[in-house]
């Protein structure tokens, strides 16, 4: 007799996972998806196996809005080993150089850190997950293949020295999307003249979500009501202005029609029905445009201001 498989559950919401070290983001996702027996899930922004911390997992409808978290600022705690340079920029790589570490004063380190605050550009590491012709860069790097990578614009909001020893520094960094912390550590090591690599990395904030709200996978295994730990889909949109539409306009949005409003913020807003159900993301603009349904994969509707 053929055994009938347990059907996957349709879940909508966001799990705030505290990813453990030694696990890839994709592996962590698959573990959680299996534990929840979820039909559809995805993570929002990879963390290296070396790194731990905030890894939001989106289920069902939440996956349509994951880009709003991918675009959000992130905050990290990082510890760097001075005087040792690795090919990957972290402790998982091979050591390629060792240098003496001078007797730095705190002021020397703070001066170098200050130079990296604000707007700048960064060339992604060859050991990143970015793809070149469909191949992750880190796979090419492991084959000793190097390709040109265009520099990216980044912004460092905060760069704080938390503690240090003779040959280590621990910092807190709040930065824009697409910023590679290992590259920042390598740049700091170069600025200090001795080189450096990452030995510990923990993401403590991703957009509105802090580490204090996250669940470790080992804790989830003992929770009976797993869906009860999920945040609502709209939690991904807390950074957007909110508009509430009456029944007529809500119905029009659901049916892909254009509507007009008399006031409200311009740009992207989250739209809710009068009974506080999420309708979708709408763009409020001066000129009308066609609206699309929330269930569309292209989940940005547009709204004219009348």
């Amino acid at each position: 007799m053929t055994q009938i498989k347990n059907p996957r559950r349709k879940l909508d919401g966001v799990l705030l996972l505290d990813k453990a070290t030694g696990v890839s983001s994709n592996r962590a996702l698959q573990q959680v998806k299996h534990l929840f027996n979820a039909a559809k899930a995805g993570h929002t922004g990879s963390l290296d196996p070396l790194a731990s911390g905030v890894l939001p997992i989106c289920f069902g409808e939440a996956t349509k809005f994951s880009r709003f978290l991918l675009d959000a600022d992130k905050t990290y705690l990082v510890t760097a080993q001075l005087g040792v340079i690795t090919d990957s920029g972290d402790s998982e790589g091979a050591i390629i150089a060792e240098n003496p570490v001078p007797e730095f004063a705190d002021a020397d380190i703070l001066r170098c850190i200050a130079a990296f605050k604000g707007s700048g550009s960064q060339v992604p590491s060859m050991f990143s997950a970015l793809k070149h012709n469909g191949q992750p860069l880190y796979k090419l790097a492991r084959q000793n293949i190097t390709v040109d990578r265009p520099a990216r614009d980044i912004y460092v909001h905060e760069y704080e020295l938390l503690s240090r020893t003779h040959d280590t520094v621990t910092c807190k960094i709040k930065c824009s999307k697409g910023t590679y912390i290992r590259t920042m550590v390598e740049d700091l090591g170069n600025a200090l003249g001795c080189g450096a690599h990452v030995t510990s990395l923990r993401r403590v904030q991703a957009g509105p979500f802090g580490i204090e709200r996250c669940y470790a996978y080992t804790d989830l295994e003992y929770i009976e009501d797993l869906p009860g730990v999920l945040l609502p889909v709209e939690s991904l949109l807390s950074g957007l202005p909110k508009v509430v539409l009456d029944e007529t306009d809500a119905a029009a949005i659901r049916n892909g029609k254009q509507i007009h409003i008399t006031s409200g913020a311009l740009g992207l807003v989250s739209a809710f029905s009068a009974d506080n159900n999420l309708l979708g993301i709408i763009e409020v603009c001066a000129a009308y445009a066609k609206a699309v349904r929330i269930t569309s994969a292209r989940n940005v509707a547009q709204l004219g201001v009348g």
Side-chain angles (χ1 to χ4, degrees), residues 30 40 132:
Q30 296 308 320
K40 182 178 182 181
H132 175 77

Side-chain angles (χ1 to χ4, degrees), residues 49-62:
L50 170 76
S52 66
V54 183
L55 183 68
I57 305 292
C58 294
F59 292 96
E61 289 292 303

Side-chain angles (χ1 to χ4, degrees), residues 28-303:
L29 167 65
Q30 296 308 320
Q31 288 176 333
V32 167
K33 186 177 179 182
H34 176 76
L35 183 65
F36 279 73
N37 193 33
K40 182 178 182 181
H43 64 69
T44 58
S46 295
L47 281 172
D48 291 338
L50 170 76
S52 66
V54 183
L55 183 68
I57 305 292
C58 294
F59 292 96
E61 289 292 303
T63 60
K64 298 177 181 179
F65 302 96
S66 62
R67 72 179 180 92
F68 291 96
L69 200 53
L70 288 169
D71 292 344
D73 294 334
K74 313 292 193 304
T75 303
Y76 300 87
L77 301 181
V78 59
T79 298
Q81 172 71 54
L82 303 180
V84 180
I85 302 172
T86 69
D87 59 0
S88 65
D90 60 34
S91 57
E92 294 185 332
I95 295 175
I96 57 177
E98 296 186 67
N99 303 310
V101 179
E103 291 292 341
F104 294 115
D106 285 357
D108 298 323
I109 298 174
L110 291 171
R111 185 166 48 250
C112 289
I113 284 175
F116 295 110
K117 294 180 181 179
S119 58
S121 63
Q122 187 184 75
V123 176
S125 168
M126 272 301 301
F127 283 83
S128 70
L130 288 177
K131 292 186 177 180
H132 175 77
N133 293 333
Q135 186 86 329
L137 291 181
Y138 65 82
K139 289 189 176 181
L140 297 176
R142 290 168 184 165
Q143 301 172 53
N144 294 318
I145 298 173
T146 302
V147 298
D148 290 332
R149 290 96 63 204
R152 289 178 158 194
D153 292 331
I154 64 170
Y155 196 93
V156 178
H157 301 275
E158 299 175 18
Y159 199 155
E160 179 183 355
L161 176 63
L162 299 180
S163 63
R164 57 165 299 214
T165 67
H166 168 67
D167 60 354
T168 68
V169 294
T170 297
C171 298
K172 178 182 179 182
I173 301 174
K174 180 180 180 181
C175 52
S176 63
K177 69 169 185 176
T179 304
Y180 288 93
I181 302 299
R182 75 175 78 191
T183 301
M184 293 197 68
V185 165
E186 289 177 317
D187 290 343
L188 176 61
N190 292 335
L192 291 170
C194 60
H197 72 274
V198 173
T199 58
S200 174
L201 181 62
R202 184 159 175 77
R203 186 155 68 195
V204 295
Q205 189 85 23
F209 304 130
I211 191 66
E212 69 282 352
R213 302 173 65 187
C214 294
Y215 293 86
Y217 180 79
T218 50
D219 293 333
L220 291 171
E221 292 179 301
Y222 296 98
I223 296 176
E224 293 186 8
D225 179 23
L226 283 173
V229 308
L230 299 183
L231 298 178
V233 175
E234 54 264 32
S235 65
L236 292 170
L237 311 176
S238 61
L240 295 178
K242 175 180 177 179
V243 296
V244 177
L245 303 180
D246 61 26
E247 185 177 341
T248 300
D249 284 342
I253 287 293
R254 292 191 183 100
N255 290 314
K257 297 180 180 179
Q258 66 188 45
I259 63 174
H260 294 267
I261 59 174
T262 57
S263 63
L266 293 177
L268 295 179
V269 301
S270 55
F272 289 77
S273 62
D275 55 358
N276 207 37
N277 286 320
L278 177 64
L279 297 169
I281 304 301
I282 354 187
E283 183 178 10
V284 180
C285 52
Y288 76 87
K290 184 179 179 181
V292 297
R293 296 186 183 187
I294 179 61
T295 52
S296 168
R298 306 287 188 264
N299 55 42
V300 177
Q302 293 192 325
L303 182 76

